[in-house]
Amino acid sequence: MTVAEKILAAHAGLEEVRPGQLVECDLDLVLANDITAPIAIDVFRELGATEVFDRDRVCLVPDHYAPNKDIKSAEQTKKMRDFAHEQKITHYWEQGCAGIEHALLPETGTVVPGDLVIGADSHTCTYGALGAFSTGVGSTDAGVGLATGRAWFKVPPTIKFEIEGELTDGATAKDVILHIIGLIGVDGALYQAMEFCGSTIRNMSMEGRMTISNMAIEAGGKAGIMEVDDVARAWLEGRCQRPAVEYHADPDAEYARVVRIDAADIKPCVSWPHLPSNTHPVSESTHITIDQAVIGSCTNGRIEDMRAAAEVLRGRRVAEGVRCIVIPATQAVFKQCMAEGLADVFIDAGCVFSTPTCGPCLGGYMGILAAGERCISTTNRNFVGRMGDPTSEVYLASPAVAAASAVVGHIAAPSDL
């Protein structure tokens, strides 16, 4: 079996499962945020439930419109907060202690290898980088999960991505996943697990791995999984709140297909509007002027991303007429930016340096685009109207490219400065 199949089989109490099989599984974690939790709570009430299945296995994170931007978002967050207090939820992070959920849960060791996680947020697939099967669901499934601790799955076939060699020319983990999405399309892995392996992955940091798993959903993937190795074990040491279980694919595991990629073919790239698959080399995108740059999100808001952006911005200024917004993914990353002097670099360069929030990524607040404006962003989606007006445009890129673009006022690589 593949890694995905082994995790689902274990949580279904079965010796083995096969693609297409319907299984009902015990869940390790159920996650929701300030947008999705209120609906899930309504479902929980409609079921007649009075207590969550396990107060230690529920995670509620106010991160999308928090700190609250208006009365409606305040009411949403209050509903989640009241529920968390009523149910004595262990993993509820209040504003000031919270952060972007998909950076926060790995950072705090709340999710561990071998877990089966559902989250009422599509980028729950991020935790696959830790060797977990984690996937986004609707608020209805999340509500049922809150009450029962169970969910049904159709076992997905797995596509194996073997990426070999060393990244060159300034290419990063973000470029790896954009390259893959550009290669197979936004539905190229529809309802399939994406298993990433090869020397390129083995030599990559955990921050980079989470960037790749995070965007599996942008190719239609049900999950984006990597096997646990020494790099992961070292990063996880001292974090895990529960015993971890490592699952490794069998040598004779059956895959829907195997995609082999030479890392030397991966160049710094940008996804043009209005699909993540619309990828173009940075070198062919320098004619595109920008009004705004956003550096952060559940995709690229970790400390490695902050350092990459700061390295470009140090001693430089954001171009006149450009707004650059830098958002660390968690309070711990925020503090580390201050301790390492990165916050000073960002502020001295003329950036907005914000408290952790998903804000601009979903067009919520802290960076809404006006009609016709263009933004280069380290986020994960560039759909029509994603960050604001339907005529605005979002270009997806790595932190270094976003920072370089902010300096010159058009899409650029750090080597262009």
Side-chain angles (χ1 to χ4, degrees):
M1 290 187 289
T2 65
V3 177
E5 290 161 3
K6 286 189 173 185
I7 294 174
L8 290 173
H11 287 77
L14 301 172
E15 289 189 5
E16 66 176 14
V17 296
R18 291 296 176 219
Q21 184 177 345
L22 295 177
V23 294
E24 189 174 349
C25 298
D26 292 323
L27 301 170
D28 292 298
L29 292 174
V30 178
L31 166 70
N33 56 54
D34 48 316
I35 292 178
T36 59
I39 309 169
I41 292 167
D42 288 342
V43 172
F44 175 88
R45 305 288 192 203
E46 289 167 10
L47 292 171
T50 57
E51 293 184 354
V52 296
F53 78 104
D54 187 334
R55 67 187 185 92
D56 295 328
R57 301 299 184 106
V58 173
C59 302
L60 300 175
V61 187
D63 62 357
H64 276 58
Y65 287 111
N68 304 135
K69 79 177 186 73
D70 55 22
I71 295 171
K72 287 185 178 180
S73 62
E75 292 293 343
Q76 290 274 98
T77 306
K78 183 179 186 301
K79 185 170 182 175
M80 182 173 72
R81 180 186 301 116
D82 291 347
F83 181 80
H85 293 328
E86 169 203 311
Q87 296 290 323
K88 298 180 172 57
I89 301 299
T90 304
H91 299 299
Y92 168 69
W93 291 267
E94 189 52 87
Q95 296 168 50
C97 300
I100 298 174
E101 56 198 322
H102 305 311
L104 185 66
L105 267 63
E107 177 185 275
T108 57
T110 306
V111 60
V112 302
D115 273 355
L116 178 56
V117 184
I118 63 169
D121 186 274
S122 58
H123 292 103
T124 302
C125 53
T126 305
Y127 317 138
L130 306 180
F133 187 102
S134 55
T135 193
V137 298
S139 292
T140 301
D141 284 329
V144 174
L146 290 175
T148 67
R150 295 177 69 79
W152 70 269
F153 299 85
K154 182 170 73 171
V155 178
T158 298
I159 304 175
K160 186 177 186 177
F161 294 86
E162 294 181 348
I163 311 158
E164 300 287 352
E166 185 176 347
L167 293 172
T168 59
D169 300 325
T172 67
K174 184 63 165 287
D175 300 300
V176 171
I177 190 60
L178 291 181
H179 179 88
I180 289 172
I181 297 167
L183 191 67
I184 68 173
V186 292
D187 58 356
L190 192 61
Y191 209 97
Q192 299 177 82
M194 301 172 72
E195 188 178 305
F196 303 101
C197 63
S199 61
T200 310
I201 301 296
R202 291 195 298 273
N203 292 326
M204 192 174 287
S205 68
M206 287 306 296
E207 287 89 347
R209 296 180 190 191
M210 283 187 267
T211 293
I212 290 173
S213 290
N214 173 270
M215 289 190 68
I217 185 63
E218 263 57 74
K222 185 69 175 174
I225 295 179
M226 300 175 186
E227 293 188 356
V228 177
D229 60 8
D230 287 341
V231 172
R233 294 183 194 106
W235 190 87
L236 289 161
E237 186 175 359
R239 294 182 193 266
C240 296
Q241 297 185 19
R242 291 175 286 108
V245 181
E246 293 185 18
Y247 292 94
H248 298 273
D250 292 325
D252 59 348
E254 294 183 9
Y255 293 91
R257 61 173 167 146
V258 178
V259 179
R260 295 179 174 87
I261 298 172
D262 184 345
D265 293 333
I266 300 173
K267 307 298 181 185
C269 58
V270 179
S271 287
W272 293 10
H274 291 284
L275 286 174
S277 58
N278 189 14
T279 54
H280 299 261
V282 171
S283 59
E284 296 176 11
S285 308
T286 56
H287 63 285
I288 300 168
T289 58
I290 62 165
D291 302 285
Q292 177 171 289
V294 171
I295 300 167
S297 84
C298 64
T299 310
N300 284 122
R302 299 172 183 85
I303 189 60
E304 180 180 279
D305 305 309
M306 298 292 108
R307 289 170 181 157
E311 183 177 347
V312 174
L313 289 165
R314 182 173 278 108
R316 296 187 170 104
R317 292 281 301 178
V318 171
E320 186 176 349
V322 174
R323 309 169 314 265
C324 185
I325 302 166
V326 181
I327 303 178
T330 67
Q331 291 288 68
V333 176
F334 190 101
K335 287 181 66 177
Q336 200 165 351
C337 284
M338 295 176 66
E340 295 183 14
L342 308 185
D344 287 334
V345 171
F346 297 135
I347 294 168
D348 290 346
C351 302
V352 173
F353 186 62
S354 167
T355 189
T357 178
C358 297
C361 176
L362 68 152
Y365 74 128
M366 282 292 299
I368 304 300
L369 298 176
E373 288 193 312
R374 290 186 182 131
C375 177
I376 189 165
S377 179
T378 67
T379 55
N380 39 56
R381 288 185 178 150
N382 57 350
F383 306 150
V384 174
R386 174 69 176 178
M387 272 194 186
D389 189 272
T391 64
S392 63
E393 296 179 348
V394 178
Y395 295 78
L396 305 178
S398 70
V401 169
S405 303
V407 169
V408 297
H410 60 79
I411 294 176
S415 58
D416 295 329
L417 301 183

